[in-house]
Amino acid sequence: MAKALKNKEIEQLKLENARLTAALSEAQFECQRLELINSNLEIQLNEANRELEKNIEVLQSMKGEIETIVSSLKGKS
């Protein structure tokens, strides 16, 4: 009787181990998926930052040109 109970406990532990192993495998897969997404988002962020820096340079240049034009127009009036 005790042996049958022990075998039942062992079978339950085996099932629990299999369930936990499957859950761990799923968690590892999800982690890899999220790492890939994170990597892609980092690339997109870096590209957006480079584009933003270029746009800032263009706007600063345009601001300088506008200031020059305004000064020129003020001098004519």
Side-chain angles (χ1 to χ4, degrees):
M1 182 88 170
K3 189 171 185 174
L5 186 58
K6 199 170 201 178
N7 284 342
K8 184 177 179 182
E9 289 175 354
I10 290 172
E11 288 305 312
Q12 287 176 337
L13 289 173
K14 285 180 180 179
L15 290 172
E16 183 68 8
N17 185 48
R19 186 188 69 77
L20 291 173
T21 300
L24 176 60
S25 178
E26 286 180 33
Q28 289 171 331
F29 176 79
E30 183 66 9
C31 184
Q32 290 174 343
R33 188 183 75 80
L34 292 173
E35 285 174 348
L36 181 61
I37 290 170
N38 186 49
S39 176
N40 289 337
L41 289 173
E42 281 185 47
I43 291 169
Q44 290 176 4
L45 178 61
N46 289 336
E47 289 174 3
N49 281 336
R50 279 192 294 275
E51 189 67 28
L52 182 59
E53 288 173 5
K54 288 178 187 177
N55 290 342
I56 289 170
E57 289 175 12
V58 168
L59 290 173
Q60 287 173 336
S61 173
M62 291 174 68
K63 179 184 175 192
E65 291 173 14
I66 290 170
E67 288 171 349
T68 301
I69 292 170
V70 168
S71 291
S72 169
L73 291 173
K74 283 183 180 177
K76 289 182 178 180
S77 52

